[in-house]
Amino acid sequence: MIIPLTHHKNGGFTKHKVVGVYLFVYSIFSRCAKGIVI
């Protein structure tokens, strides 16, 4: 199984980017939820 280095790097970067965005949105959503509850 041979994976091009550039493709592997782009795939890893994209995955980290998606996870980062997910955590960012989740943190904002949790803040909004706390604000609504309070």
Side-chain angles (χ1 to χ4, degrees):
M1 184 173 172
I2 300 173
I3 300 173
L5 187 59
T6 54
H7 178 72
H8 185 68
K9 280 184 177 180
N10 290 337
F13 178 75
T14 302
K15 189 174 182 181
H16 284 11
K17 192 175 182 181
V18 170
V19 172
V21 172
Y22 175 76
L23 292 176
F24 180 72
V25 172
Y26 178 76
S27 64
I28 293 176
F29 179 76
S30 63
R31 287 181 187 175
C32 290
K34 286 181 181 179
I36 293 172
V37 171
I38 295 173

